[in-house]
Amino acid sequence: MCSVVGYVGKRSCRSFILEGLRRLEYRGYDSAGFACLCPRDSRLLYAKAVGRLENLEKKLKKEPIDGYVGIGHTRWSTHGAVTEHNAHPHFDCNKTISIVHNGIIENCYALKRQLEEAGHVFFSATDTEVIAHQLEVLLLSHVTLKKAIIDLVNKLEGAYAFLVLMENYPDCIVLVRKRSPLCIGIGDDELFIASDPLAFAGNSSKVCFLPDESFAIVKADQIELYDFKGHALPIKVQELTIDWVNQERKGHEHFMLKEIYEQKEVIHATVDFLRQISNEVWQYMGITQETAQSLKSFNMIGCGTSYHAASIGKFFFEKITKIPAYVHLASEFRYMPFFPSENSVYLAVSQSGETADTLEAMRMLQTHHVPTVALTNVASSTMVREADGFLLTQAGYEIAVVSTKAFSAQLTVLYWLAHRLALEKGLINQQQMHMAQEDLLVVAQLLESCMENYRMDITHSVAKEYAQSQNFIFLGRHESYPFAQEAALKLKETAYRYALCYSAGELKHGPLALIDVKTPVFVFSSQDPLIYQKLLGNVQEVKVRGGHVVAFTFEHQKELQLLADRVFIIPDVKPLLGTIAMTGLMQLLVYEIAKELGRPIDKPRNLAKSVTVE
Ligand code: M6R
């Protein structure tokens, strides 16, 4: 979503803010803006530009403005079209207060009406501008800034993280956080502020994450932190271990490609981590050994790719631990009647650990006192802080908006966890546990070698051929059905092609009517012999109707190989690990199709990396 960045200190703020925004631009990139206070007279100076950050940078080169205190923003629009007026920062009537904001002010229309009736003039269609005008009113009626902010947060409904820069308080920035992350990097008489610490990694090694429902009034050498009632809060400082240098593209044309190729390493790192924590895994997850032994079911919630990983994970849990596993789309689950499952645990699966729907579903679960565990890639994320326990994928920062390496890392954890639970329940022994870990390392190698086997074909001919197709159908069965959903999602996101996904058994209940020679049907096989036979029948149904079949099939599955128009052959692998083996190849093919079509691969239109609004 939107990113906010700020700086107060002894250096000029512009270069830090632009660099911070550049690092976080993958989270939202409709438009960008910057504001600072003029060092001579504390006048508020600002610049905004529609489109990528580079447009703002060009503007700032022509009309340079800078100061020692400033704020910046990249936008992912929610209220109001993508225009310069709607780009942040937003101002009060006199343009002495400026705001950059991530989140949504849910009661903005009611507040705006009141403010307009009182004579305020609005310049944008955003919800953010309401904050500036409301603060303008409150600063007139309150003696202190702190009191005005307390009153302000009581009036605002929704989820937000915003920064305030004011002419009348020239040496400070106000930070306000409710359900959207915000943190401060602490330097030597300087503070770096951002919605994600990646913005200031390398500039500061100490970070303070604002607690939920808190605000801070900061100066270069001072942080005052309060809860929404105005009680002072302790400032908890943590070591910041992330490094920006590691997030470069390292010779690859896109972050997506770099991240696809990192998957073998990521699976290895994740298995290493899991091996290390194996004895304390239940402590990590915030449950006791007894609770683990007595689990009667396993629940998972997530969105997008994380939901697909969880849906594949369901097969791991049910087949390996022999207990039912339920997977819920977080955005639906939150608003459904809730029936707590007895002796269960709820795993919130999320790369970012910040996705609003998953986070809110997790918070809803906590009101029912059921154990929640965050499975995420970001140790400093809100989910890790709020869940009863957590497990971390070791994918490293995922910069491309489309998720690739986080997906295989999630599958790795879920496969491992299913075995670890089976071990705890006495269903497998130590030797089998060891083998499961080794199998993950084997499949990591296969994931990479499958890509290598087909890389030339894909880049030189296959991607070109399928880039011509406008519509696609994706099919799978059992664990390969959510995998097919993931493939279809990847194609939609990166190539902007229509990709319909069905469980292959559903074909004859309607979608068969869509089969024609122009619509490639991508089929992902399964190693389960019965499921494979059923899938073969479904492929026959497509073929006899003139469909063009592209099959991702395992080595021994000769019938499917003969039937399909194009095949990608995956070496036989341990049952259930087939989807991991296919992952890199599927992603590479989609990547090359998108590249062939000239899409902005790392930052697809209309999307943002972590969806921190509903
Ligand atoms: O950070 P999360 O895993 O919670 O994000 C969930 C989805 O927003 C995310 O997977 C999204 O679908 C990606 N764009 C998929 O590539």
Side-chain angles (χ1 to χ4, degrees):
M1 299 278 99
C2 307
S3 299
V4 299
V5 176
Y7 175 87
V8 51
K10 55 201 172 196
R11 293 194 258 175
S12 67
C13 64
R14 191 180 75 193
S15 57
F16 163 70
I17 290 174
L18 290 180
E19 168 65 14
L21 291 178
R22 188 171 71 77
R23 294 182 187 186
L24 303 187
E25 198 190 5
Y26 69 105
R27 288 166 166 253
Y29 33 79
D30 291 346
S31 50
F34 165 73
C36 63
L37 294 177
C38 174
R40 269 179 287 112
D41 55 10
S42 301
R43 242 175 350 109
L44 195 59
L45 307 171
Y46 71 93
K48 302 180 183 195
V50 169
R52 298 286 160 86
L53 184 64
E54 62 193 50
N55 297 344
L56 177 69
E57 286 170 332
K58 279 184 198 146
K59 216 171 188 177
L60 283 167
K61 256 196 194 131
K62 274 198 201 146
E63 299 158 33
I65 52 171
D66 211 343
Y68 300 115
V69 50
I71 56 179
H73 189 264
T74 55
R75 180 170 187 242
W76 185 84
S77 51
T78 58
H79 291 63
V82 182
T83 63
E84 201 165 302
H85 278 304
N86 290 333
H88 297 217
H90 291 287
F91 309 99
D92 65 323
C93 292
N94 305 314
K95 287 214 169 135
T96 63
I97 300 171
S98 64
I99 310 268
V100 291
H101 165 221
N102 175 24
I104 290 182
I105 306 301
E106 284 168 2
N107 58 340
C108 66
Y109 299 112
L111 291 174
K112 188 171 178 178
R113 208 171 38 246
Q114 288 167 14
L115 288 159
E116 280 178 332
E117 278 166 14
H120 289 256
V121 179
F122 280 75
F123 301 98
S124 75
T126 65
D127 52 340
T128 307
E129 196 181 342
V130 163
I131 309 173
H133 290 276
Q134 193 63 63
L135 186 58
E136 176 186 358
V137 175
L138 296 171
L139 282 171
L140 290 176
S141 54
H142 285 288
V143 263
T144 65
L145 175 59
K146 179 182 159 192
K147 286 213 167 111
I149 300 292
I150 296 169
D151 224 5
L152 176 68
V153 295
N154 281 323
K155 288 189 186 299
L156 301 178
E157 287 168 18
Y160 46 79
F162 63 85
L163 307 182
V164 192
L165 183 68
M166 293 159 289
E167 284 189 0
N168 290 344
Y169 298 88
D171 51 355
C172 81
I173 297 179
V174 178
L175 296 74
V176 185
R177 181 203 161 178
K178 184 180 178 191
R179 305 198 153 180
S180 243
L182 207 49
C183 57
I184 307 172
I186 302 164
D188 187 12
D189 281 346
E190 59 182 351
L191 298 178
F192 307 92
I193 300 157
S195 42
D196 186 317
L198 187 62
F200 50 76
N203 285 302
S204 164
S205 56
K206 290 188 209 140
V207 62
C208 163
F209 290 94
L210 264 69
D212 197 26
E213 305 209 354
S214 71
F215 69 93
I217 302 175
V218 304
K219 295 183 177 170
D221 55 357
Q222 183 187 318
I223 303 174
E224 292 172 25
L225 183 64
Y226 304 101
D227 67 16
F228 277 4
K229 291 202 173 86
H231 302 125
L233 294 173
I235 292 146
K236 293 187 186 154
V237 179
Q238 301 176 18
E239 276 304 301
L240 184 63
T241 48
I242 51 172
D243 180 5
W244 171 247
V245 179
N246 286 335
Q247 322 306 328
E248 301 289 356
R249 278 188 270 130
K250 292 196 179 146
H252 290 282
E253 197 174 340
H254 295 99
F255 275 109
M256 182 179 175
L257 190 61
K258 169 187 170 249
E259 290 163 2
I260 288 173
Y261 272 104
E262 280 173 350
Q263 292 180 99
K264 177 180 161 191
E265 220 177 279
V266 161
I267 295 174
H268 275 257
T270 303
V271 172
D272 279 354
F273 166 77
L274 295 167
R275 273 190 165 133
Q276 279 165 33
I277 65 152
S278 185
N279 290 338
E280 297 98 52
V281 62
W282 311 124
Q283 268 163 272
Y284 267 81
M285 289 177 63
I287 59 175
T288 62
Q289 201 173 5
E290 293 70 43
T291 306
Q293 282 162 357
S294 59
L295 283 180
K296 288 190 183 147
S297 69
F298 206 86
N299 278 275
M300 288 172 274
I301 49 176
C303 302
T305 293
S306 295
Y307 171 76
H308 297 150
S311 305
I312 295 172
K314 170 185 166 73
F315 290 87
F316 302 161
F317 285 101
E318 296 194 341
K319 295 212 166 151
I320 299 162
T321 66
K322 320 277 185 225
I323 57 171
Y326 305 103
V327 188
H328 315 275
L329 263 181
S331 53
E332 289 293 321
F333 180 71
R334 293 177 57 184
Y335 302 107
M336 300 292 279
F338 177 60
F339 306 103
S341 326
E342 203 196 330
N343 292 17
S344 194
V345 66
Y346 287 78
L347 198 67
V349 184
S350 170
Q351 186 283 130
S352 60
E354 303 292 349
T355 300
D357 283 316
T358 312
L359 189 57
E360 291 303 328
M362 199 181 90
R363 286 172 173 153
M364 181 280 275
L365 287 163
Q366 289 178 325
T367 65
H368 292 275
H369 309 290
V370 294
T372 56
V373 183
L375 167 53
T376 166
N377 194 35
V378 184
S380 57
S381 63
T382 310
M383 280 184 212
V384 168
R385 286 197 296 277
E386 294 192 11
D388 299 317
F390 63 90
L391 282 177
L392 294 174
T393 46
Q394 304 293 313
Y397 257 90
E398 197 181 54
I399 304 288
V401 165
V402 290
S403 193
T404 54
K405 59 177 179 172
F407 175 69
S408 45
Q410 287 165 343
L411 292 180
T412 302
V413 174
L414 295 172
Y415 186 79
W416 181 90
L417 186 59
H419 282 87
R420 184 64 187 81
L421 191 56
L423 178 69
E424 199 64 53
K425 284 174 170 286
L427 298 171
I428 62 169
N429 59 30
Q430 280 292 357
Q431 175 62 16
Q432 288 164 306
M433 182 73 218
H434 173 76
M435 277 315 296
Q437 290 166 165
E438 292 302 305
D439 291 339
L440 281 166
L441 303 183
V442 170
V443 81
Q445 176 58 51
L446 286 183
L447 180 154
E448 193 162 288
S449 47
C450 286
M451 287 197 286
E452 277 317 299
N453 293 346
Y454 289 100
R455 195 167 58 91
M456 297 302 261
D457 278 359
I458 289 177
T459 42
H460 292 122
S461 63
V462 182
K464 282 190 180 55
E465 181 183 337
Y466 293 107
Q468 310 304 318
S469 307
Q470 297 298 319
N471 305 308
F472 293 77
I473 295 175
F474 285 77
L475 301 176
R477 285 190 87 128
H478 270 216
E479 77 282 3
S480 77
Y481 170 46
F483 185 82
Q485 288 178 307
E486 173 60 9
L489 175 65
K490 290 283 90 82
L491 191 78
K492 289 175 228 182
E493 289 183 293
T494 52
Y496 312 158
R497 289 297 196 232
Y498 284 84
L500 195 67
C501 181
Y502 271 93
S503 160
E506 280 293 293
L507 263 192
K508 52 189 165 303
H509 300 291
L512 263 185
L514 294 171
I515 300 297
D516 64 28
V517 72
K518 288 193 301 211
T519 309
V521 180
F522 280 65
V523 179
F524 299 96
S525 191
S526 166
Q527 290 185 105
D528 181 310
L530 178 62
I531 300 305
Y532 167 64
Q533 284 307 323
K534 297 293 159 198
L535 194 77
L536 214 47
N538 302 138
V539 172
Q540 296 274 15
E541 291 160 8
V542 174
K543 281 304 301 168
V544 296
R545 285 162 182 85
H548 174 94
V549 172
V550 181
F552 282 63
T553 160
F554 294 93
E555 213 160 2
H556 68 279
Q557 298 178 334
K558 303 290 180 217
E559 304 91 332
L560 183 53
Q561 289 162 27
L562 283 173
L563 204 54
D565 299 276
R566 180 182 297 283
V567 289
F568 292 105
I569 299 175
I570 317 292
D572 292 335
V573 58
K574 268 278 156 66
L576 290 178
L577 285 178
T579 53
I580 303 186
M582 290 178 191
T583 295
L585 190 54
M586 173 277 278
Q587 294 164 342
L588 185 67
L589 177 57
V590 169
Y591 167 84
E592 291 293 346
I593 293 175
K595 194 173 142 197
E596 195 57 39
L597 291 166
R599 304 299 190 221
I601 292 182
D602 285 335
K603 292 174 188 155
R605 70 182 180 205
N606 306 337
L607 301 182
K609 182 66 181 167
S610 62
V611 185
T612 52
V613 294
E614 281 186 56

